[in-house]
Amino acid sequence: MKYAFVNCNILNGKKDMTVDSGKCILVDDGKITDIIAASNANTAGYTVKDLKDAYVSPGLINMHVHLAGNGKPQKKQRDNAKLVKTVMSTALTRKIAYNLVCSYAQSELLSGVTTIRTMGGIADFDGKLRDEISAGKKIGPRILAANQGISVPNGHMAGSVAVAVTTPEEAKKRVEISKNENVDLVKIMVTGGVLDAKEKGVTGELKMSPEIVAAVCEKAHAEGYKVAAHAESPEGVRVALKNGVDSVEHGAKPDEEIIDLFKKRGAFLCTTISPAIPYALFDKSVSNASEVEQFNGNVVFEGIIDCAKAALENDIPVVLGNDVGCPWITQYDFWRELYYFHKYVGVSNSFALYTATLRSAEMAGIGDITGSVEVGKSADMIVTEKNPLEDLRALKDVKIVVSGGKVIENPKIKKNKKIAVELDKYM
């Protein structure tokens, strides 16, 4: 349909964005065709949406998502490999799991996230859903799919949302499998995570050898794919960058060598503050974390923040993801990541919004398609009553989501009240 969004205040998503008031946005065939003064708009032939001075921002881009989880708090660690093996054991359980993945993706969209970058999933579900959304068979955001990540035996997420390889040759074969699944990028697990560590101070332990990292990057780049690396220690970040990765997911306190490697590689950082907060800041009686997990959670929390600050100080591109699927991190709460970026890294509200829109689109290689409210771009937009530049919490209540020109008014999402109560304490 052809839509005319009249009487709106536009935040275009650019680094220097300010409020552009009294505008009309014309949308035809899924794209923004014109932006003009509302007083001069000829809306004949358009379905008119009077926004009554509401704020229009680009749809948010969540650059680190696992569609296999809903963020429900756990009293104890689950055996994710065993769970996924069970899920994939029958046609019925596979169908149930896929339907859950579809529902989680829909929650992303209804919360105002119009593009996601998946960082490890069950089988080929992410790519399959991407294609069904693109074909109009499912409702959800644009998906850049990695499908299953590549890990090593006893490595991060091995057996659940990643496949373990033991040699560089196996790693290259795994990239070939990903190619046959028509993925959009490749994800590797270079280090362990908070819950993998069994002792204090060993979180982010290097798991993947430099030789395997190099083999994945060589093969992936030859096939035209970027490589994203889970890395939560200085050693892991160093190994990832030295051997060719294109983005570091999470990060760790950097030194001068790491900063230099980021620059020489032309790599970017995907900051993920959200999943560390429950382990670092919650009381253990709430998070159900052990003393070891809380200690290591704080190490990762501080390392991610330090890495983000250093990256920005050195003009290294930064994007945002909330590692959704981790305990306490839901598919509808990406707006919190922007708020944490502002609060803990110290950026302005406008820079946080730019980071989660146009900057992310550019780093994902789709900046010519989405990420800003501009003529010629896909009509990926969200409408809020309040101004996110004054308070990013305005993004919590999205009144309209526009995805590729499709309009969803008053989106409804079932939310976990317990999660909101605890996380709101850190706003």
Side-chain angles (χ1 to χ4, degrees), residues 2 7 37 39 44 124 130 141 155 205 266 287 309 314 336 348 354 382 392 396:
K2 297 170 67 175
N7 301 319
S39 58
D124 62 348
R130 172 201 60 199
E205 182 179 11
S287 65
K309 287 180 176 179
N314 288 276
R336 292 185 189 275
S348 67
Y354 156 71
I382 56 176
L392 290 165
K396 178 181 179 181

Side-chain angles (χ1 to χ4, degrees), residues 285-352:
S285 65
V286 176
S287 65
N288 297 308
S290 67
E291 186 175 341
V292 169
E293 290 167 350
Q294 187 178 64
F295 180 93
N296 290 331
N298 194 64
V299 171
V300 169
F301 176 64
E302 293 179 355
I304 288 171
I305 292 170
D306 286 343
C307 200
K309 287 180 176 179
L312 293 176
E313 289 169 1
N314 288 276
D315 295 321
I316 295 164
V318 176
V319 299
L320 300 180
N322 67 342
D323 207 359
V324 61
C326 291
W328 300 91
I329 313 304
T330 72
Q331 300 284 355
Y332 54 78
D333 260 350
F334 180 55
W335 65 272
R336 292 185 189 275
E337 187 67 31
L338 281 70
Y339 190 91
Y340 299 146
F341 191 50
H342 160 70
K343 179 176 180 178
Y344 295 108
V345 181
V347 304
S348 67
N349 289 344
S350 61
F351 190 86

Side-chain angles (χ1 to χ4, degrees), residues 73 75 285-286 288 328 415-423:
K75 290 186 177 180
S285 65
V286 176
N288 297 308
W328 300 91
K415 298 184 178 182
N416 187 312
K417 292 182 179 179
K418 179 180 179 181
I419 290 176
V421 167
E422 295 302 329
L423 290 179

Side-chain angles (χ1 to χ4, degrees), residues 37-79:
S39 58
N40 298 330
N42 179 1
T43 58
Y46 289 84
T47 298
V48 177
K49 300 290 182 182
D50 187 349
L51 300 187
K52 300 177 181 179
D53 296 323
Y55 294 84
V56 177
S57 307
L60 302 180
I61 300 177
N62 191 344
M63 291 284 279
H64 194 112
V65 172
H66 298 282
L67 283 176
N70 61 7
K72 184 179 179 180
Q74 304 293 324
K75 290 186 177 180
K76 62 179 181 179
Q77 285 195 49
R78 294 185 305 191
D79 185 335

Side-chain angles (χ1 to χ4, degrees), residues 23-41:
K23 295 297 183 179
C24 170
I25 303 171
L26 299 179
V27 173
D28 188 4
D29 194 27
K31 291 188 176 182
I32 299 171
T33 56
D34 208 352
I35 299 174
I36 53 179
S39 58
N40 298 330

Side-chain angles (χ1 to χ4, degrees), residues 5 7-9 25 49-59 112 380-386 388 394-395 397-402 407-408 410-411:
F5 298 90
N7 301 319
C8 56
N9 297 311
I25 303 171
K49 300 290 182 182
D50 187 349
L51 300 187
K52 300 177 181 179
D53 296 323
Y55 294 84
V56 177
S57 307
D380 299 334
M381 306 180 294
I382 56 176
V383 179
T384 58
E385 288 185 358
K386 297 181 180 180
L395 299 170
D397 299 307
V398 176
K399 301 305 177 185
I400 299 175
V401 178
V402 185
V407 177
I408 304 170
N410 300 310

Side-chain angles (χ1 to χ4, degrees), residues 6-307:
V6 301
N7 301 319
C8 56
N9 297 311
I10 298 176
L11 308 176
N12 63 17
K14 296 183 179 181
K15 189 175 182 179
D16 59 352
M17 78 180 92
T18 56
V19 178
D20 194 6
S21 301
K23 295 297 183 179
C24 170
I25 303 171
L26 299 179
V27 173
D28 188 4
D29 194 27
K31 291 188 176 182
I32 299 171
T33 56
D34 208 352
I35 299 174
I36 53 179
S39 58
N40 298 330
N42 179 1
T43 58
Y46 289 84
T47 298
V48 177
K49 300 290 182 182
D50 187 349
L51 300 187
K52 300 177 181 179
D53 296 323
Y55 294 84
V56 177
S57 307
L60 302 180
I61 300 177
N62 191 344
M63 291 284 279
H64 194 112
V65 172
H66 298 282
L67 283 176
N70 61 7
K72 184 179 179 180
Q74 304 293 324
K75 290 186 177 180
K76 62 179 181 179
Q77 285 195 49
R78 294 185 305 191
D79 185 335
N80 289 314
K82 181 179 179 180
L83 178 60
V84 170
K85 184 177 181 180
T86 301
V87 161
M88 298 300 291
S89 63
T90 71
L92 176 59
T93 53
R94 286 196 297 272
K95 182 177 180 179
I96 291 170
Y98 182 66
N99 287 339
L100 283 173
V101 164
C102 295
S103 70
Y104 297 155
Q106 184 170 316
S107 292
E108 288 277 347
L109 179 63
L110 296 181
S111 71
V113 176
T114 54
T115 300
I116 63 174
R117 177 171 167 258
T118 67
M119 291 283 102
I122 298 175
D124 62 348
F125 286 4
D126 296 349
K128 177 182 177 182
L129 178 56
R130 172 201 60 199
D131 296 342
E132 290 195 310
I133 291 171
S134 181
K137 297 177 181 179
K138 299 285 187 188
I139 296 172
R142 176 186 295 102
I143 296 177
L144 302 176
N147 288 353
Q148 288 177 295
I150 300 174
S151 189
V152 294
N154 299 312
H156 190 58
M157 307 306 288
S160 58
V161 297
V163 176
V165 299
T166 58
T167 66
E169 291 71 27
E170 284 184 15
K172 289 182 178 181
K173 289 178 181 178
R174 185 63 222 177
V175 174
E176 187 68 28
I177 291 171
S178 294
K179 176 188 174 183
N180 292 336
E181 293 175 352
N182 194 29
V183 298
D184 298 292
L185 71 157
V186 173
K187 170 71 180 300
I188 60 175
M189 310 297 188
V190 175
T191 74
V194 171
L195 300 183
D196 299 320
K198 304 306 178 186
E199 299 177 13
K200 290 183 179 180
V202 296
T203 189
E205 182 179 11
L206 185 65
K207 298 286 188 178
M208 183 173 283
S209 71
E211 292 77 16
I212 290 179
V213 176
V216 170
C217 291
E218 179 186 353
K219 175 65 174 176
H221 292 158
E223 299 294 349
Y225 297 117
K226 300 289 188 182
V227 180
H230 166 102
E232 292 188 347
S233 67
E235 183 185 15
V237 173
R238 202 181 329 272
V239 166
L241 292 170
K242 279 185 175 181
N243 291 282
V245 304
D246 301 287
S247 71
V248 170
E249 311 294 309
H250 317 302
K253 187 176 180 63
D255 55 23
E256 290 184 8
E257 182 189 18
I258 287 174
I259 294 298
D260 189 53
L261 286 168
F262 263 111
K263 291 180 178 180
K264 286 181 177 178
R265 176 69 205 130
F268 65 91
L269 173 69
C270 183
T271 293
T272 58
I273 299 171
S274 295
I277 281 182
Y279 294 99
L281 304 183
F282 282 16
D283 187 275
K284 294 195 296 293
S285 65
V286 176
S287 65
N288 297 308
S290 67
E291 186 175 341
V292 169
E293 290 167 350
Q294 187 178 64
F295 180 93
N296 290 331
N298 194 64
V299 171
V300 169
F301 176 64
E302 293 179 355
I304 288 171
I305 292 170
D306 286 343
C307 200

